[in-house]
DNA sequence: ATATCACGGATATTAGATATCCGGATTATC
DNA sequence: GATAATCCGGATATCTAATATCCGTGATAT
């Protein structure tokens, strides 16, 4: 079981644009520079975040991406699902209905108990991801990152924002 | 994010061998018949369950697989991890340390907050899967499956166990 | 008018999951 | 003891999804 690497990129990008001065946007290329990831591929993931209305995209010079809503209203789960999709990790193929002892379809009114357990675990996973917003992550950075990190980040904004 | 289909097969097989009469074993081929899945590939997953000491393997005629421990002592998580591995779904590549604003390695003593959140969600997922044992699943089948299903299963045992 | 940027489609590459086969080792049964 | 059934691990083939790039189009600030 493996999450797309794009999930990590998307979350870090969301945190970074949450720190932007009001009404400014960061182009995809700058976000790729900042994180040291392939620009063309990151662009694809940012487009997914834009379609999910997590980011706003601004075309043209001084354009780029910014948050579409307050950082408090964007959960980690929102970003994960925008990039990785909402398909469950466990997909019940109903193998209980295969093989020599299978019954008629109408007999299977009760759900597959294995399916139920796996689904409830994924619910717990999602619930946990919903508990944290991008604003929380920004706060965590402020509270626990080396201060030099923030300072350097601010310098960098001055440099790259035209 | 996607779990191997083998996880579903492994769980259904664990439930089935938990229903075996004492000291009997089911060959991989019969388990594949019962579930309508490719025998050669299911065999690979059963070998993984055997290595994880969830199943006992018995070579030779009248051999096959049986539970290595009481069904109450085998959790759903045990089976999932035996087949899917224990690698986390989210793998932090520390992209916060890349790019133009990176600091010296020694500055990063606090953990990446995104990593922490993703890891806690996976902990919640695992905790949920640990709450249910194979014995619980067997009980659920007994309590909620169509009775005809169990009856047919028992007939089938008589037929295939030499 | 021009340069900057997002967007979506097409396509190539790679890694991992799915699937099969075979030779060797083990053991119950005759 | 011979035979047949079974597990085991390695080698290999195939298929799917993730990763990655490129380009033409449209929008817009300067």
């Amino acid at each position: 079981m493996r999450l797309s690497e794009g999930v990590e990129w998307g979350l870090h990008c969301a945190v970074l644009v949450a720190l932007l001065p009001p009404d400014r946007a960061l182009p995809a290329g700058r976000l790729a520079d900042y994180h040291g990831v392939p620009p063309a591929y990151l662009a694809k993931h940012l487009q997914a975040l834009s379609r999910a209305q997590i980011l706003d995209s601004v075309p043209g010079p001084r354009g780029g991406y910014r948050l579409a809503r307050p950082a408090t209203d964007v959960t980690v789960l929102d970003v994960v699902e925008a990039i990785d999709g909402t398909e469950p990790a466990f997909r019940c193929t109903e193998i209980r209905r295969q093989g020599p002892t299978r019954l008629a379809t109408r007999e299977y009114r009760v759900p597959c108990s294995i399916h139920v357990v796996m689904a409830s675990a994924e619910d717990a996973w999602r619930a946990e991801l919903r508990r944290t917003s991008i604003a929380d992550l920004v706060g965590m950075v402020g509270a626990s990152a080396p201060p030099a990190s923030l300072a350097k980040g601010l310098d960098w904004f001055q440099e790259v924002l035209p």
Side-chain angles (χ1 to χ4, degrees), chain A:
Chain A
M1 189 174 47
R2 178 169 214 157
L3 273 171
S4 159
E5 214 179 0
V7 166
E8 184 183 13
W9 302 356
L11 287 168
H12 279 278
C13 287
V15 169
L16 196 58
V17 298
L19 291 168
L20 278 174
D23 280 315
R24 305 305 299 270
L26 262 185
R30 295 300 78 65
L31 282 162
D33 293 342
Y34 186 87
H35 293 111
V37 302
Y41 192 32
L42 176 64
K44 282 277 179 265
H45 293 308
L46 294 172
Q47 284 168 29
L49 292 174
S50 172
R51 274 193 297 272
Q53 306 194 309
I54 290 167
L55 299 183
D56 260 350
S57 68
V58 183
R62 298 176 65 93
Y65 291 98
R66 62 184 173 217
L67 277 187
R69 322 172 228 152
T72 47
D73 292 3
V74 180
T75 68
V76 171
L77 180 64
D78 292 332
V79 175
V80 170
E81 289 192 329
I83 290 174
D84 202 63
T86 55
E87 282 275 293
F90 179 88
R91 296 149 201 215
C92 180
T93 64
E94 290 282 343
I95 62 176
R96 62 177 179 161
R97 304 194 190 190
Q98 299 312 128
T101 68
R102 70 173 169 284
L103 306 173
T105 301
R106 67 175 179 286
E107 306 277 359
Y108 294 97
R109 252 166 294 159
V110 292
C112 172
S113 44
I114 288 170
H115 184 176
V116 169
V117 170
M118 298 303 295
S120 76
E122 293 191 36
D123 283 345
W125 178 77
R126 279 189 292 269
E128 194 64 24
L129 294 182
R130 236 188 316 259
R131 285 182 45 191
T132 304
S133 69
I134 298 303
D136 295 331
L137 287 176
V138 171
M140 288 172 170
V141 170
S144 64
S149 169
L150 284 182
K152 255 192 151 173
L154 291 180
D155 287 353
W156 180 81
F157 275 146
Q158 298 302 324
E159 217 177 288
V160 302
L161 288 179

